Amino acid sequence: MSLKGKRILFIAPSSIPVDGPEAIVNIKQLEILSKAGCIIDVVSKKKKKFYYPFLNNGNLPFHLNSVHMVEVDNKVTWNTIMLHLLTFMTFGIVYKSAHWAWPALKKCKELIKENQYDFVMTKNLPSELLGYWIKKHKNIKWIATWNDPYPEEKYPVPYGKGVFAKVFLGARRLIPVMEKYPDFHLFPSNRLRDYMLQYLNIPVEKTLVIPHAVLDGDTPTTAQCESDVLSILHSGNVDYPRDPQPFLVALSRFLQERPDARLKVYFQGVYSEKISLWIKDLNLGNVVEILPPVSYWENMQNLSHYHVLLIIEAPCKEGIFLPTKVSDYMQAQKVIWAVSPSKGVLHDLYENGNIGYFSDCQDADGIYNELKQVYDDYLKDGLRGTKVPETYLSKSIVHCFESM
């Protein structure tokens, strides 16, 4: 089927304003669907506190039919306690921060009364509660997205308690809802889907893997940075359970052995004081710099100033996540170095030749050896570029939606 003229109710608390990784993923998908001809109404969450500068609907480079931001207080007050209670009474499910779903339902009902939707798409929590209610009471096709394991207790260690963790009583009913009501389930990676299917009784035929989008129409080639100092950037969060210490230890060892090396490492985002202490203890103050966060679009423009873009993941037994910055780095046409679990999504990309460099996130010696390789390749003007998988491109993602 063609997407042109299809009406979508797109429920994504993190989308507009664009202020973080989840919102970036969702805004890219909105752009793809909008440019494919869809008519989209967005229900998002209005936030009082922002960790990153953001852009709102008026600054977007594509058209949305309407945007409705529903605001709730996240502090523990009598009002939020009452909203959690109303959420449980309405949906039969409740967990921390699920209370946004109750006032958002009112807006969704208004939009459904005014428009004839072809399908509803739900993104980050608690949007799935709204998708469930709409499917059950209005019988509108529901496409559910799971960018992370649901319920949250089932995140892999060290994020959560693993695939067989017991679920909080208020959210326990979420699993049978996920199994029964969505028409399609979207996952960003095969590994996340297979992880969740260990506890969800869902036919594989009702699942689709749609990676986070690279918005360039063609597979890009590696862009060049004109600086004569090797510059490495990590953009985004490296707080627990991500651990930058093995990378910093490897960097310190490399500089001790090659004090003449010309390189700089930048961490851009919101960071705890711990990383600053590590930088000081390892005498890396002249080489490692912390940069303040910037908006998504400004960050994408800035990526061209660096030779190598770094990803540091948490030490999971299996890397099931597709970090948002992977597609951002690919979209910027840059060299990628993944410091990640030895078994996982990013290692798969490395093995397939899609990213140039890889190190086990728990192996400081391996990181050191890869840093030597990166630096030697840089000196020879031979850094390994990025090859974007076809499935990450807009035309492939449109085809997936047309197949549903």
Side-chain angles (χ1 to χ4, degrees):
M1 70 169 184
S2 171
L3 292 179
K4 188 174 179 61
K6 297 294 182 183
R7 280 194 169 270
I8 305 173
L9 179 56
F10 194 98
I11 308 173
S14 291
S15 55
I16 300 171
V18 184
D19 72 327
E22 186 70 34
I24 292 167
V25 168
N26 293 333
I27 207 70
K28 284 185 176 184
Q29 204 163 88
L30 280 169
E31 179 168 350
I32 289 171
L33 292 170
S34 173
K35 290 182 176 179
C38 296
I39 303 167
I40 308 172
D41 296 306
V42 177
V43 178
S44 69
K45 183 176 181 179
K46 185 177 181 181
K47 300 179 182 179
K48 293 184 177 181
K49 185 176 182 180
F50 296 93
Y51 295 98
Y52 295 90
F54 65 88
L55 292 179
N56 58 31
N57 184 33
N59 302 110
L60 297 176
F62 57 91
H63 176 72
L64 295 171
N65 190 57
S66 66
V67 177
H68 309 271
M69 290 188 281
V70 178
E71 184 175 4
V72 294
D73 196 340
N74 286 326
K75 295 179 180 178
V76 178
T77 65
W78 284 113
N79 184 53
T80 56
I81 292 171
M82 182 58 66
L83 283 177
H84 277 87
L85 179 60
L86 290 169
T87 297
F88 181 72
M89 293 171 63
T90 303
F91 303 99
I93 301 167
V94 73
Y95 48 81
K96 184 180 178 181
S97 299
H99 63 303
W100 176 83
W102 195 80
L105 179 59
K106 179 181 179 182
K107 176 52 65 177
C108 290
K109 288 179 178 178
E110 292 174 1
L111 291 168
I112 291 169
K113 188 175 181 180
E114 295 170 0
N115 303 286
Q116 189 74 31
Y117 289 108
D118 294 285
F119 54 92
V120 174
M121 291 186 65
T122 58
K123 295 299 175 175
N124 54 296
L125 59 82
S127 66
E128 77 285 349
L129 302 185
L130 298 165
Y132 159 50
W133 190 96
I134 293 168
K135 178 64 180 181
K136 181 178 180 180
H137 294 275
K138 302 296 181 179
N139 198 30
I140 300 173
K141 185 177 182 179
W142 175 21
I143 300 174
T145 304
W146 316 109
N147 285 336
D148 299 300
Y150 279 62
E152 285 193 313
E153 292 92 335
K154 291 186 176 291
Y155 268 63
V157 177
Y159 289 97
K161 298 181 180 180
V163 67
F164 300 115
K166 292 183 179 180
V167 178
F168 168 65
L169 180 63
R172 199 167 294 169
R173 191 162 168 258
L174 180 56
I175 291 176
V177 164
M178 293 166 67
E179 292 176 333
K180 179 179 179 180
Y181 286 91
D183 294 277
F184 280 96
H185 302 261
L186 308 186
F187 302 87
S189 75
N190 285 318
R191 288 187 181 272
L192 176 58
R193 179 192 63 185
D194 294 346
Y195 178 90
M196 291 180 66
L197 290 187
Q198 292 180 76
Y199 62 88
L200 289 177
N201 184 22
I202 297 171
V204 175
E205 296 76 23
K206 292 180 67 174
T207 71
L208 279 173
V209 175
I210 299 182
H212 304 327
V214 174
L215 293 181
D216 201 332
D218 299 306
T219 302
T221 56
T222 302
Q224 298 296 317
C225 173
E226 297 179 357
S227 171
D228 61 354
V229 176
L230 173 62
S231 55
I232 301 173
L233 172 73
H234 185 284
S235 175
N237 175 25
V238 287
D239 285 343
Y240 181 84
R242 301 171 186 88
D243 184 7
Q245 188 176 25
F247 174 83
L248 295 173
V249 168
L251 175 63
S252 176
R253 176 184 169 189
F254 174 79
L255 291 171
Q256 288 171 17
E257 296 186 8
R258 299 182 67 167
D260 59 332
R262 294 172 59 79
L263 79 159
K264 288 276 290 184
V265 177
Y266 302 87
F267 289 88
Q268 184 160 45
V270 179
Y271 297 102
S272 66
E273 292 184 6
K274 187 177 291 186
I275 190 171
S276 298
L277 292 174
W278 286 330
I279 292 168
K280 182 179 179 181
D281 291 344
L282 293 167
N283 296 314
L284 294 173
N286 292 328
V287 176
V288 180
E289 185 175 344
I290 305 294
L291 302 177
V294 295
S295 72
Y296 169 65
W297 273 271
E298 186 178 351
N299 180 62
M300 291 299 295
Q301 293 171 353
N302 290 345
L303 295 181
S304 64
H305 300 155
Y306 303 92
H307 295 99
V308 177
L309 302 181
L310 183 67
I311 301 168
I312 297 177
E313 285 199 288
C316 300
K317 182 178 180 181
E318 177 187 4
I320 63 173
F321 299 103
L322 176 61
T324 306
K325 59 178 67 69
V326 172
S327 61
D328 289 343
Y329 288 179
M330 287 179 172
Q331 190 168 311
Q333 307 178 19
K334 301 303 297 185
V335 174
I336 298 174
W337 179 7
V339 179
S340 306
S342 58
K343 175 184 177 182
V345 174
L346 297 194
H347 189 259
D348 296 339
L349 289 170
Y350 172 72
E351 286 288 300
N352 291 330
N354 300 116
I355 62 178
Y357 299 91
F358 183 89
S359 307
D360 187 322
C361 58
Q362 299 183 77
D363 181 9
D365 290 339
I367 297 170
Y368 161 77
N369 289 327
E370 195 74 339
L371 178 54
K372 286 198 302 181
Q373 186 66 59
V374 168
Y375 192 74
D376 289 342
D377 288 350
Y378 160 73
L379 292 178
K380 294 182 292 186
D381 195 24
L383 286 169
R384 303 170 194 160
T386 296
K387 180 183 177 182
V388 181
E390 287 290 328
T391 54
Y392 286 52
L393 298 175
S394 300
K395 59 184 178 182
S396 177
I397 293 172
V398 168
H399 178 71
C400 284
F401 279 105
E402 289 176 340
S403 71
M404 284 187 276

